[in-house]
Amino acid sequence: DSGVTQTPKHLITATGQRVTLRCSPRSGDLSVYWYQQSLDQGLQFLIQYYNGEERAKGNILERFSAQQFPDLHSELNLSSLELGDSALYFCASSGGGGNHEQYFGPGTRLTVT
Amino acid sequence: GQQVMQIPQYQHVQEGEDFTTYCNSSTTLSNIQWYKQRPGGHPVFLIQLVKSGEVKKQKRLTFQFGEAKKNSSLHITATQTTDVGTYFCAASENYKLSFGAGTTVTVRA
């Protein structure tokens, strides 16, 4: 158990819909990262927050957004969903920036039908 | 951003044999991290290498960072069925990690 929690575990929704994925980092970790893992794209970095502020952005679509709240939990919002958005979404946390090891949550499997 | 290439993509190993997976970059890396993801699981941090030529061991796993800090390797000796999974290297730059595509390891008993 990494100490990072993610909800829900599974999500099935239709194209065009909007979903919110939630992540609680390890106790004491200020950084939260979001990744998308699909079979053909590997593990893709989406976005990082540090203590409530966006710190780094990766290949995140404009239809996707995230935020980190004062209690340090984070949410990833995915809107206007397409079939290609079906993937595993991981949240990870660390104590600092990218040079620190990251602890991954169990992931949310999103299926768009 | 930094890109790291991993080879091979797949590694089929006989139990008890050794194998090595490689991670290469065209640019100098500040550090390299290795993660393991078991089937159906999430990536788990294994190790971080920072210094040129650094070698670190974890039981049957040996991690090496190249002298030029452009490549890294993971060598596993006497492979066991518990070694099954995908091994990722990841390079950090500007607060983000760029993951290689991973080497997926299967073990023949």
Side-chain angles (χ1 to χ4, degrees):
Chain A
D1 183 9
S2 66
V4 178
T5 59
Q6 287 187 249
T7 56
K9 211 168 190 176
H10 301 279
L11 201 47
I12 302 175
T13 189
T15 54
Q17 295 299 305
R18 173 189 168 95
V19 297
T20 297
L21 312 184
R22 184 189 166 103
C23 167
S24 290
R26 287 191 323 157
S27 176
D29 282 356
L30 300 178
S31 281
V32 169
Y33 309 78
W34 286 97
Y35 294 88
Q36 180 192 58
Q37 186 175 45
S38 53
L39 283 174
D40 59 345
Q41 292 290 322
L43 203 58
Q44 297 291 317
F45 168 73
L46 296 177
I47 198 163
Q48 183 211 354
Y49 280 82
Y50 177 81
N51 203 20
E53 299 289 326
E54 181 186 306
R55 179 173 266 192
K57 225 170 185 177
N59 301 321
I60 187 167
L61 299 172
E62 285 192 13
R63 299 184 286 108
F64 296 0
S65 65
Q67 53 184 329
Q68 187 180 26
F69 295 87
D71 67 352
L72 300 178
H73 91 270
S74 178
E75 292 181 357
L76 179 67
N77 301 296
L78 315 176
S79 61
S80 303
L81 284 167
E82 301 175 359
L83 295 177
D85 297 327
S86 295
L88 256 178
Y89 290 85
F90 286 109
C91 166
S93 75
S94 77
N99 287 342
H100 296 77
E101 61 263 35
Q102 296 184 14
Y103 295 87
F104 282 74
T108 293
R109 181 169 293 282
L110 173 67
T111 303
V112 182
T113 61
Chain B
Q2 289 180 337
Q3 285 198 344
V4 286
M5 307 298 292
Q6 273 189 266
I7 53 171
Q9 188 177 358
Y10 298 98
Q11 184 83 54
H12 309 289
V13 189
Q14 180 71 41
E15 190 174 15
E17 290 185 344
D18 302 352
F19 76 90
T20 303
T21 175
Y22 301 90
C23 183
N24 301 305
S25 170
S26 58
T27 60
T28 303
L29 304 171
S30 58
N31 64 69
I32 194 93
Q33 297 181 12
W34 285 89
Y35 291 77
K36 177 183 177 182
Q37 184 175 18
R38 293 181 186 274
H42 58 272
V44 174
F45 173 79
L46 295 177
I47 210 153
Q48 176 169 273
L49 304 171
V50 179
K51 298 177 186 174
S52 167
E54 188 170 15
V55 178
K56 287 189 177 179
K57 291 191 176 186
Q58 288 181 351
K59 297 183 181 176
R60 295 177 297 101
L61 278 60
T62 301
F63 303 84
Q64 189 162 3
F65 204 6
E67 293 290 341
K69 299 182 74 172
K70 289 186 176 182
N71 55 71
S72 180
S73 64
L74 161 58
H75 181 78
I76 299 183
T77 57
T79 303
Q80 300 177 358
T81 54
T82 53
D83 296 323
V84 163
T86 301
Y87 294 83
F88 294 98
C89 64
S92 67
E93 178 190 31
N94 296 331
Y95 305 111
K96 53 186 178 182
L97 273 184
S98 295
F99 281 79
T103 294
T104 299
V105 176
T106 54
V107 179
R108 297 190 300 274

